Amino acid sequence: MSTLRWGTSVHEAGHITLALLAHILVRGATVNADHSGLTEIFAAPWPSCIVDFGGLAAERLVFPADEIDPSRSRVDMAHAKESATRFCKWSESRRVVRRLGPPPKPGSTEPGLPALTSAARADVAALVSEIEKAHQPRREARVLRLLAHAERVARERLGANLITLRTIAKPLADYGTLDQQQLLELFAEGRLRQIEDDELWRKKA
């Protein structure tokens, strides 16, 4: 087995292990002939940011620093930053709603707001832009803290589950593709029942 293929398998197994530990289902995983890899995860909430760091954290746990390929984690890091930024924006909007109160529900008896004139709309847009600029430096700092937290949690969880990580990485490297059921079997039982049964049948035949 080539070093590149094993590296990609460990990387993908890091994502898979963290996703399953967080009870996020994984559709399947593939290691391609060109040593690229893909893990398909069901739509996940905030923990997906931690899962994004799974590949890099797994490589750092298994390989020495000079054998880690940064290109494997480039897309993961971009996605993690996007997730953290989206989470920060969402929490900011929640704080604004708590301060100002939610808008009246359609059909409620509360008095409706007058229609905005074009000048009023421009004022509101300017205010929103001003708030956005004011939040930007604080948001960037929060994003960095969230990413640092996600990286640390990913490293700690994988460090406590190294056997599971290797249990998933080895057959992924050997067979190239594992589906949802096979990944769940590896995670829960540490083996692939169907493949082992088939190999045992061939030996008896």
Side-chain angles (χ1 to χ4, degrees):
M1 183 193 306
S2 72
T3 305
L4 284 173
R5 185 174 183 83
W6 175 237
T8 302
S9 301
V10 168
H11 181 100
E12 298 304 324
H15 293 307
I16 295 162
T17 302
L18 287 179
L20 294 177
L21 284 170
H23 308 289
I24 300 170
L25 286 178
V26 181
R27 293 179 189 271
T30 302
V31 174
N32 301 309
D34 62 357
H35 308 303
S36 63
L38 175 67
T39 297
E40 294 184 79
I41 295 175
F42 281 91
W46 164 237
S48 66
C49 190
I50 295 171
V51 174
D52 287 331
F53 276 94
L56 180 60
E59 290 189 61
R60 285 176 172 171
L61 285 167
V62 174
F63 303 115
D66 60 343
E67 291 183 20
I68 295 172
D69 183 358
S71 66
R72 277 195 286 256
S73 299
R74 196 169 293 125
V75 174
D76 297 336
M77 296 303 97
H79 188 267
K81 185 176 181 181
E82 181 187 339
S83 296
T85 303
R86 193 166 59 246
F87 178 80
C88 287
K89 286 184 176 180
W90 173 81
S91 62
E92 288 165 12
S93 67
R94 295 279 294 175
R95 283 199 298 273
V96 170
V97 168
R98 280 199 298 271
R99 286 174 60 187
L100 302 179
K105 294 180 181 179
S108 69
T109 56
E110 298 178 37
L113 294 174
L116 290 177
T117 64
S118 58
R121 279 198 295 270
D123 288 343
V124 170
L127 179 60
V128 169
S129 177
E130 210 173 298
I131 293 172
E132 179 74 14
K133 285 178 184 176
H135 274 295
Q136 191 66 27
R138 219 178 319 166
R139 182 190 303 148
E140 288 175 357
R142 287 192 70 211
V143 167
L144 290 177
R145 287 199 300 272
L146 285 171
L147 292 177
H149 171 75
E151 191 277 333
R152 179 173 55 79
V153 171
R155 188 166 17 94
E156 289 174 354
R157 288 183 184 174
L158 287 179
N161 292 275
L162 269 176
I163 293 176
T164 302
L165 173 69
R166 292 180 180 275
T167 297
I168 293 172
K170 180 63 168 62
L172 183 57
D174 289 343
Y175 302 111
T177 299
L178 296 173
D179 61 27
Q180 179 183 337
Q181 185 59 42
Q182 291 170 325
L183 291 171
L184 287 173
E185 282 181 11
L186 285 168
F187 182 76
E189 302 177 25
R191 70 187 190 99
L192 289 172
R193 283 176 295 177
Q194 185 60 50
I195 291 176
E196 288 182 6
D197 291 346
D198 289 347
E199 288 177 350
L200 182 64
W201 182 83
R202 280 196 296 271
K203 285 178 183 177
K204 288 182 177 178

